[in-house]
Amino acid sequence: MTTLRTRIAAMTAAMIAALSIVLAPAIAPAPTTTHHAGGIASIAASIAEPVRTAYADDAASDNASAGATGEDVAPISGPVPNVIITNFTYGDGSVPVGGDFTLTFTFQNKGKVAVSNMVVTVDGGDAFAIAGGANTFYVDALYAGRSATQSVPMQALSSATSGAQGVTVGFRYEYVDGGSRSSSSSDIKISVPVSQPDRFQLDDPVPPEDATVGTETTITMNYVNKGKGDIANVEASIEGEGLETTTKTQYVGNVASGASGSIGFAFTPTASGSIEAKLHIVYEDSDGKPQSKEFPVTVDVAEAPAVDETDMTVEDATADAGVPWWVWAVAAIVVGIAVVVTVVVVRRRRKRKEAAQAEADDWDDWGKTPASDADTSDASEASASVSSDPLSPSVPSAASDAQPTQVLDLTSLPAPDPSSAVAPVSEAPSASTDGHGPMDSRPRRARKERA
């Protein structure tokens, strides 16, 4: 359709130009003739110009086409206008817990149409509160591209934690676009840093009461964390002239909220008099920022006491003596008694063992040679009988003579007197009272001889 209109317009312009050329000689030349020709040319150009601009805007060309055909088309709405915060301030540094500050922010309409009936709301969350006033503000209108600034008095709550805390700013507004009214809203969050006050308390150092040269002593310092945040990486060190330390810097560690303790600075004085020392404490506060504190302290050091050689000699002698003499005497007596008792017990046991062994040997010998034992027993009885007779010749005893025992011929001896106290050999078994007969006489006599 557009192409056809373009062609008709071009043909119309060409016909008008040709007609003007044909009629030009018939008309007397005059300045207005050129004027009319120029006017007709400009009219043709003005007719063609809107047709060329239709290609640049599709929406306009569609609306124009719809208008030419008589169709009704709803207009297309523009983009929704956005309101943003372009800048805000809350003061210098961070806001301490419990401190007041003024939050000032600037907001701008970034849309293509004006906004109106705007309501601005400020919400501090759990960390902030409005200090004297309301948190809602009204703006009648804000044109496209325009900005506005609002200030709000606020306070950081005592329950707020360290670090960045959020504040939410809400915008609700209306705008007109395409002949209709619409509404929109947006929430923008900004952050404000909050800090806990440094309440890590360190008491004055306590010097030692009696410090001497060459003797290690200690300076103590008490601390307590009264803040709500933890203290981290606490380190302590001591320095000064006239003192030596085995550990120059000691690591204390972290100190929780409400915790307390004591730091000991150990050192050894090398000179007498007043020693000026410095104690250094380095740590990180609840915000993570390094902190450093220094405490000067004066220590009075005395000379080391002189050593008395006499006392050292007495002490050495006492150390060498160790245990008192009477303890050694008692110990010697106890040992002597123990030795005597041991010897007596051993001897008794040895005698008992020898007696038992001898008795066992007698019984063994008697069982092996019964015949020879009987002969010997008879010979002994005969010898005893002969010796008891005053008329018999003297016969040496085997127990008193080392010569071998002689065997006597009993047939040549006179008959024994019945009234004699010595029983004949044949009556020897009657002398046994244990009921075992003549075989038991030898062991019994042997036992009696050994006893």
Side-chain angles (χ1 to χ4, degrees):
M1 186 69 182
T2 304
T3 305
L4 180 60
R5 290 178 59 191
T6 303
R7 292 179 179 179
I8 292 173
M11 291 176 64
T12 302
M15 291 176 63
I16 293 174
L19 182 61
S20 62
I21 294 174
V22 173
L23 296 177
I27 300 173
T32 56
T33 302
T34 306
H35 224 14
H36 288 293
I40 295 172
S42 58
I43 292 173
S46 63
I47 294 175
E49 185 65 26
V51 176
R52 290 194 300 270
T53 58
Y55 293 101
D57 191 353
D58 293 339
S61 62
D62 293 339
N63 292 335
S65 300
T69 56
E71 297 177 359
D72 295 333
V73 179
I76 299 175
S77 301
V80 177
N82 292 320
V83 178
I84 64 172
I85 293 178
T86 58
N87 186 24
F88 69 95
T89 59
Y90 51 83
D92 296 333
S94 59
V95 178
V97 173
D100 296 335
F101 66 99
T102 300
L103 177 63
T104 302
F105 56 92
T106 301
F107 52 97
Q108 183 181 9
N109 180 7
K110 290 293 186 179
K112 301 297 183 181
V113 296
V115 297
S116 61
N117 197 24
M118 176 183 292
V119 177
V120 182
T121 305
V122 179
D123 183 11
D126 297 334
F128 305 101
I130 304 299
N135 68 332
T136 303
F137 308 93
Y138 178 78
V139 178
D140 184 31
L142 185 63
Y143 295 98
R146 298 293 182 88
S147 300
T149 301
Q150 183 66 48
S151 296
V152 184
M154 303 190 73
Q155 181 184 31
L157 300 177
S158 59
S159 60
T161 58
S162 299
Q165 305 297 327
V167 177
T168 302
V169 180
F171 299 94
R172 297 196 307 271
Y173 50 87
E174 299 177 354
Y175 63 95
V176 178
D177 185 23
S180 61
R181 180 176 292 273
S182 302
S183 62
S184 181
S185 63
S186 62
D187 293 329
I188 300 175
K189 182 174 287 186
I190 58 179
S191 62
V192 177
V194 177
S195 63
Q196 292 280 349
D198 184 10
R199 302 189 64 187
F200 184 53
Q201 179 177 331
L202 295 166
D203 296 341
D204 294 334
V206 179
E209 296 181 356
D210 49 352
T212 57
V213 177
T215 303
E216 187 179 67
T217 186
T218 304
I219 299 175
T220 58
M221 175 184 290
N222 298 326
Y223 64 85
V224 59
N225 182 11
K226 295 183 177 180
K228 296 183 178 181
D230 294 345
I231 302 299
N233 299 327
V234 180
E235 295 182 357
S237 60
I238 182 173
E239 63 178 11
E241 296 182 358
L243 57 88
E244 293 180 353
T245 58
T246 56
T247 303
K248 184 177 181 181
T249 302
Q250 57 177 319
Y251 181 75
V252 181
N254 301 337
V255 181
S257 175
S260 61
S262 177
I263 304 175
F265 301 85
F267 68 97
T268 301
T270 58
S272 60
S274 296
I275 296 179
E276 300 294 334
K278 292 183 179 179
L279 308 181
H280 298 277
I281 307 295
V282 179
Y283 61 93
E284 296 177 3
D285 59 14
S286 58
D287 296 332
K289 297 180 180 179
Q291 303 290 339
S292 178
K293 294 183 179 180
E294 184 176 297
F295 299 87
V297 60
T298 302
V299 181
D300 295 329
V301 181
E303 289 287 351
V307 179
D308 190 355
E309 296 182 357
T310 304
D311 295 341
M312 291 183 61
T313 304
V314 173
E315 291 179 359
D316 293 342
T318 305
D320 293 339
V323 183
W325 63 269
W326 59 269
V327 176
W328 292 108
V330 173
I333 293 173
V334 172
V335 172
I337 294 173
V339 171
V340 172
V341 172
T342 303
V343 171
V344 171
V345 172
V346 170
R347 287 184 177 180
R348 288 184 178 180
R349 290 183 178 179
R350 185 178 299 173
K351 286 182 179 181
R352 291 177 182 177
K353 186 181 295 185
E354 290 177 355
Q357 185 66 29
E359 184 176 358
D361 293 343
D362 291 341
W363 281 103
D364 292 341
D365 295 341
W366 172 76
K368 291 180 182 179
T369 58
S372 60
D373 290 343
D375 295 339
T376 306
S377 176
D378 294 342
S380 299
E381 293 292 338
S383 175
S385 178
V386 171
S387 62
S388 63
D389 190 358
L391 300 178
S392 62
S394 178
V395 181
S397 176
S400 59
D401 192 359
Q403 297 296 327
T405 304
Q406 297 179 359
V407 180
L408 299 178
D409 187 6
L410 299 179
T411 58
S412 61
L413 295 176
D417 187 5
S419 61
S420 177
V422 180
V425 177
S426 60
E427 294 179 0
S430 62
S432 176
T433 59
D434 56 358
H436 292 285
M439 296 178 65
D440 216 22
S441 61
R442 167 119 183 149
R444 291 174 63 89
R445 286 195 298 272
R447 286 198 297 270
K448 288 180 180 181
E449 291 175 359
R450 284 187 173 87

